[in-house]
Amino acid sequence: MSGRVVVIGVGNPLRGDDGVGPAAVEALRGRVPHGTALVVSDGEPARMLDSWRDADTVVVVEALRARSARPGELHILSAADAISLTAATASTHALGLGECLALAEALDRLPPNLVVHAVEVADTELGEGLSEAVRSALPGLVDRVAAAVRQAHGQDRRP
């Protein structure tokens, strides 16, 4: 195992709250251990699979549109949870995260450790900027992701 840790912020900053993944990655700069790969992705499956090649731990940050929406609510999902949960939800990407993870599983390309940190969103219409609910949730989301990354690196405290 390489010990490689990758954080992937999935989303499109030009689609309102769908920009939460890229915003989280930007907020993580300087807050995670050296050597952590910080990646922004539009969610295209081939690029996603390529970005986590040879990684031992992958942390995905994603917007979630649940049927009983509670904008700003944070979720931590395993790959299996993300596959089953996102199959019943809408995605702003051509293929959702659930389909991407199912494809990775079918191709035996899931990393050994993968966790999804998701925030329920309010607005994914065209336009820049996060809604108030998601903007308010962003610091807590970033704290959770930073803690997961430090744990993956075997660190118990901030670098």
Side-chain angles (χ1 to χ4, degrees), residues 129-142:
L130 302 175
S131 68
E132 179 59 35
V134 172
R135 189 172 40 257
S136 295
L138 186 59
L141 176 67
V142 170

mmCIF file with all atom_site columns, all heavy atoms in Angstrom, residues 129-142:
data_model
loop_
_atom_site.group_PDB
_atom_site.id
_atom_site.type_symbol
_atom_site.label_atom_id
_atom_site.label_alt_id
_atom_site.label_comp_id
_atom_site.label_asym_id
_atom_site.label_entity_id
_atom_site.label_seq_id
_atom_site.pdbx_PDB_ins_code
_atom_site.Cartn_x
_atom_site.Cartn_y
_atom_site.Cartn_z
_atom_site.occupancy
_atom_site.B_iso_or_equiv
_atom_site.pdbx_formal_charge
_atom_site.auth_seq_id
_atom_site.auth_comp_id
_atom_site.auth_asym_id
_atom_site.auth_atom_id
_atom_site.pdbx_PDB_model_num
ATOM 1  N N   . GLY A 1 129 ? -22.184 30.762 -6.362 1.00 0.00 ? 129 GLY A N   1
ATOM 2  C CA  . GLY A 1 129 ? -22.434 31.024 -4.954 1.00 0.00 ? 129 GLY A CA  1
ATOM 3  C C   . GLY A 1 129 ? -23.284 29.959 -4.297 1.00 0.00 ? 129 GLY A C   1
ATOM 4  O O   . GLY A 1 129 ? -24.188 29.387 -4.909 1.00 0.00 ? 129 GLY A O   1
ATOM 5  N N   . LEU A 1 130 ? -22.955 29.709 -3.041 1.00 0.00 ? 130 LEU A N   1
ATOM 6  C CA  . LEU A 1 130 ? -23.668 28.717 -2.254 1.00 0.00 ? 130 LEU A CA  1
ATOM 7  C C   . LEU A 1 130 ? -24.858 29.367 -1.558 1.00 0.00 ? 130 LEU A C   1
ATOM 8  O O   . LEU A 1 130 ? -24.806 30.550 -1.202 1.00 0.00 ? 130 LEU A O   1
ATOM 9  C CB  . LEU A 1 130 ? -22.732 28.115 -1.195 1.00 0.00 ? 130 LEU A CB  1
ATOM 10 C CG  . LEU A 1 130 ? -21.456 27.449 -1.712 1.00 0.00 ? 130 LEU A CG  1
ATOM 11 C CD1 . LEU A 1 130 ? -20.571 27.024 -0.545 1.00 0.00 ? 130 LEU A CD1 1
ATOM 12 C CD2 . LEU A 1 130 ? -21.785 26.269 -2.604 1.00 0.00 ? 130 LEU A CD2 1
ATOM 13 N N   . SER A 1 131 ? -25.908 28.584 -1.328 1.00 0.00 ? 131 SER A N   1
ATOM 14 C CA  . SER A 1 131 ? -27.050 29.073 -0.556 1.00 0.00 ? 131 SER A CA  1
ATOM 15 C C   . SER A 1 131 ? -26.597 29.319 0.879  1.00 0.00 ? 131 SER A C   1
ATOM 16 O O   . SER A 1 131 ? -25.546 28.826 1.321  1.00 0.00 ? 131 SER A O   1
ATOM 17 C CB  . SER A 1 131 ? -28.185 28.049 -0.578 1.00 0.00 ? 131 SER A CB  1
ATOM 18 O OG  . SER A 1 131 ? -27.807 26.879 0.144  1.00 0.00 ? 131 SER A OG  1
ATOM 19 N N   . GLU A 1 132 ? -27.386 30.051 1.618  1.00 0.00 ? 132 GLU A N   1
ATOM 20 C CA  . GLU A 1 132 ? -27.051 30.345 3.017  1.00 0.00 ? 132 GLU A CA  1
ATOM 21 C C   . GLU A 1 132 ? -26.903 29.062 3.827  1.00 0.00 ? 132 GLU A C   1
ATOM 22 O O   . GLU A 1 132 ? -25.980 28.929 4.628  1.00 0.00 ? 132 GLU A O   1
ATOM 23 C CB  . GLU A 1 132 ? -28.108 31.256 3.650  1.00 0.00 ? 132 GLU A CB  1
ATOM 24 C CG  . GLU A 1 132 ? -27.837 31.585 5.098  1.00 0.00 ? 132 GLU A CG  1
ATOM 25 C CD  . GLU A 1 132 ? -26.500 32.280 5.348  1.00 0.00 ? 132 GLU A CD  1
ATOM 26 O OE1 . GLU A 1 132 ? -26.062 33.072 4.503  1.00 0.00 ? 132 GLU A OE1 1
ATOM 27 O OE2 . GLU A 1 132 ? -25.875 32.013 6.401  1.00 0.00 ? 132 GLU A OE2 1
ATOM 28 N N   . ALA A 1 133 ? -27.802 28.100 3.638  1.00 0.00 ? 133 ALA A N   1
ATOM 29 C CA  . ALA A 1 133 ? -27.749 26.848 4.402  1.00 0.00 ? 133 ALA A CA  1
ATOM 30 C C   . ALA A 1 133 ? -26.447 26.090 4.140  1.00 0.00 ? 133 ALA A C   1
ATOM 31 O O   . ALA A 1 133 ? -25.812 25.594 5.074  1.00 0.00 ? 133 ALA A O   1
ATOM 32 C CB  . ALA A 1 133 ? -28.950 25.975 4.059  1.00 0.00 ? 133 ALA A CB  1
ATOM 33 N N   . VAL A 1 134 ? -26.035 26.013 2.897  1.00 0.00 ? 134 VAL A N   1
ATOM 34 C CA  . VAL A 1 134 ? -24.818 25.270 2.556  1.00 0.00 ? 134 VAL A CA  1
ATOM 35 C C   . VAL A 1 134 ? -23.578 26.068 2.950  1.00 0.00 ? 134 VAL A C   1
ATOM 36 O O   . VAL A 1 134 ? -22.612 25.506 3.468  1.00 0.00 ? 134 VAL A O   1
ATOM 37 C CB  . VAL A 1 134 ? -24.819 24.877 1.064  1.00 0.00 ? 134 VAL A CB  1
ATOM 38 C CG1 . VAL A 1 134 ? -23.489 24.273 0.641  1.00 0.00 ? 134 VAL A CG1 1
ATOM 39 C CG2 . VAL A 1 134 ? -25.959 23.899 0.800  1.00 0.00 ? 134 VAL A CG2 1
ATOM 40 N N   . ARG A 1 135 ? -23.603 27.379 2.753  1.00 0.00 ? 135 ARG A N   1
ATOM 41 C CA  . ARG A 1 135 ? -22.471 28.220 3.174  1.00 0.00 ? 135 ARG A CA  1
ATOM 42 C C   . ARG A 1 135 ? -22.252 28.103 4.682  1.00 0.00 ? 135 ARG A C   1
ATOM 43 O O   . ARG A 1 135 ? -21.127 28.005 5.151  1.00 0.00 ? 135 ARG A O   1
ATOM 44 C CB  . ARG A 1 135 ? -22.721 29.674 2.768  1.00 0.00 ? 135 ARG A CB  1
ATOM 45 C CG  . ARG A 1 135 ? -21.524 30.571 2.959  1.00 0.00 ? 135 ARG A CG  1
ATOM 46 C CD  . ARG A 1 135 ? -21.667 31.986 2.401  1.00 0.00 ? 135 ARG A CD  1
ATOM 47 N NE  . ARG A 1 135 ? -22.967 32.605 2.602  1.00 0.00 ? 135 ARG A NE  1
ATOM 48 C CZ  . ARG A 1 135 ? -23.906 32.733 1.658  1.00 0.00 ? 135 ARG A CZ  1
ATOM 49 N NH1 . ARG A 1 135 ? -23.707 32.273 0.442  1.00 0.00 ? 135 ARG A NH1 1
ATOM 50 N NH2 . ARG A 1 135 ? -25.052 33.320 1.933  1.00 0.00 ? 135 ARG A NH2 1
ATOM 51 N N   . SER A 1 136 ? -23.338 28.043 5.450  1.00 0.00 ? 136 SER A N   1
ATOM 52 C CA  . SER A 1 136 ? -23.234 27.899 6.907  1.00 0.00 ? 136 SER A CA  1
ATOM 53 C C   . SER A 1 136 ? -22.707 26.528 7.309  1.00 0.00 ? 136 SER A C   1
ATOM 54 O O   . SER A 1 136 ? -22.052 26.392 8.344  1.00 0.00 ? 136 SER A O   1
ATOM 55 C CB  . SER A 1 136 ? -24.598 28.130 7.561  1.00 0.00 ? 136 SER A CB  1
ATOM 56 O OG  . SER A 1 136 ? -25.018 29.457 7.376  1.00 0.00 ? 136 SER A OG  1
ATOM 57 N N   . ALA A 1 137 ? -22.998 25.508 6.506  1.00 0.00 ? 137 ALA A N   1
ATOM 58 C CA  . ALA A 1 137 ? -22.550 24.147 6.807  1.00 0.00 ? 137 ALA A CA  1
ATOM 59 C C   . ALA A 1 137 ? -21.109 23.893 6.380  1.00 0.00 ? 137 ALA A C   1
ATOM 60 O O   . ALA A 1 137 ? -20.481 22.937 6.851  1.00 0.00 ? 137 ALA A O   1
ATOM 61 C CB  . ALA A 1 137 ? -23.465 23.138 6.119  1.00 0.00 ? 137 ALA A CB  1
ATOM 62 N N   . LEU A 1 138 ? -20.573 24.735 5.503  1.00 0.00 ? 138 LEU A N   1
ATOM 63 C CA  . LEU A 1 138 ? -19.237 24.499 4.932  1.00 0.00 ? 138 LEU A CA  1
ATOM 64 C C   . LEU A 1 138 ? -18.130 24.369 5.986  1.00 0.00 ? 138 LEU A C   1
ATOM 65 O O   . LEU A 1 138 ? -17.326 23.437 5.905  1.00 0.00 ? 138 LEU A O   1
ATOM 66 C CB  . LEU A 1 138 ? -18.898 25.574 3.899  1.00 0.00 ? 138 LEU A CB  1
ATOM 67 C CG  . LEU A 1 138 ? -17.603 25.389 3.129  1.00 0.00 ? 138 LEU A CG  1
ATOM 68 C CD1 . LEU A 1 138 ? -17.592 24.076 2.349  1.00 0.00 ? 138 LEU A CD1 1
ATOM 69 C CD2 . LEU A 1 138 ? -17.392 26.567 2.178  1.00 0.00 ? 138 LEU A CD2 1
ATOM 70 N N   . PRO A 1 139 ? -18.043 25.238 7.011  1.00 0.00 ? 139 PRO A N   1
ATOM 71 C CA  . PRO A 1 139 ? -16.966 25.060 7.997  1.00 0.00 ? 139 PRO A CA  1
ATOM 72 C C   . PRO A 1 139 ? -17.017 23.704 8.712  1.00 0.00 ? 139 PRO A C   1
ATOM 73 O O   . PRO A 1 139 ? -15.980 23.066 8.908  1.00 0.00 ? 139 PRO A O   1
ATOM 74 C CB  . PRO A 1 139 ? -17.187 26.215 8.977  1.00 0.00 ? 139 PRO A CB  1
ATOM 75 C CG  . PRO A 1 139 ? -17.900 27.256 8.175  1.00 0.00 ? 139 PRO A CG  1
ATOM 76 C CD  . PRO A 1 139 ? -18.788 26.473 7.239  1.00 0.00 ? 139 PRO A CD  1
ATOM 77 N N   . GLY A 1 140 ? -18.197 23.245 9.077  1.00 0.00 ? 140 GLY A N   1
ATOM 78 C CA  . GLY A 1 140 ? -18.317 21.938 9.717  1.00 0.00 ? 140 GLY A CA  1
ATOM 79 C C   . GLY A 1 140 ? -17.939 20.810 8.776  1.00 0.00 ? 140 GLY A C   1
ATOM 80 O O   . GLY A 1 140 ? -17.292 19.833 9.184  1.00 0.00 ? 140 GLY A O   1
ATOM 81 N N   . LEU A 1 141 ? -18.327 20.941 7.524  1.00 0.00 ? 141 LEU A N   1
ATOM 82 C CA  . LEU A 1 141 ? -17.962 19.955 6.513  1.00 0.00 ? 141 LEU A CA  1
ATOM 83 C C   . LEU A 1 141 ? -16.446 19.889 6.358  1.00 0.00 ? 141 LEU A C   1
ATOM 84 O O   . LEU A 1 141 ? -15.853 18.801 6.371  1.00 0.00 ? 141 LEU A O   1
ATOM 85 C CB  . LEU A 1 141 ? -18.623 20.308 5.182  1.00 0.00 ? 141 LEU A CB  1
ATOM 86 C CG  . LEU A 1 141 ? -18.282 19.445 3.975  1.00 0.00 ? 141 LEU A CG  1
ATOM 87 C CD1 . LEU A 1 141 ? -18.819 18.031 4.153  1.00 0.00 ? 141 LEU A CD1 1
ATOM 88 C CD2 . LEU A 1 141 ? -18.847 20.072 2.702  1.00 0.00 ? 141 LEU A CD2 1
ATOM 89 N N   . VAL A 1 142 ? -15.814 21.038 6.251  1.00 0.00 ? 142 VAL A N   1
ATOM 90 C CA  . VAL A 1 142 ? -14.356 21.091 6.088  1.00 0.00 ? 142 VAL A CA  1
ATOM 91 C C   . VAL A 1 142 ? -13.668 20.511 7.317  1.00 0.00 ? 142 VAL A C   1
ATOM 92 O O   . VAL A 1 142 ? -12.686 19.763 7.198  1.00 0.00 ? 142 VAL A O   1
ATOM 93 C CB  . VAL A 1 142 ? -13.902 22.532 5.791  1.00 0.00 ? 142 VAL A CB  1
ATOM 94 C CG1 . VAL A 1 142 ? -12.389 22.664 5.855  1.00 0.00 ? 142 VAL A CG1 1
ATOM 95 C CG2 . VAL A 1 142 ? -14.424 22.966 4.423  1.00 0.00 ? 142 VAL A CG2 1
#
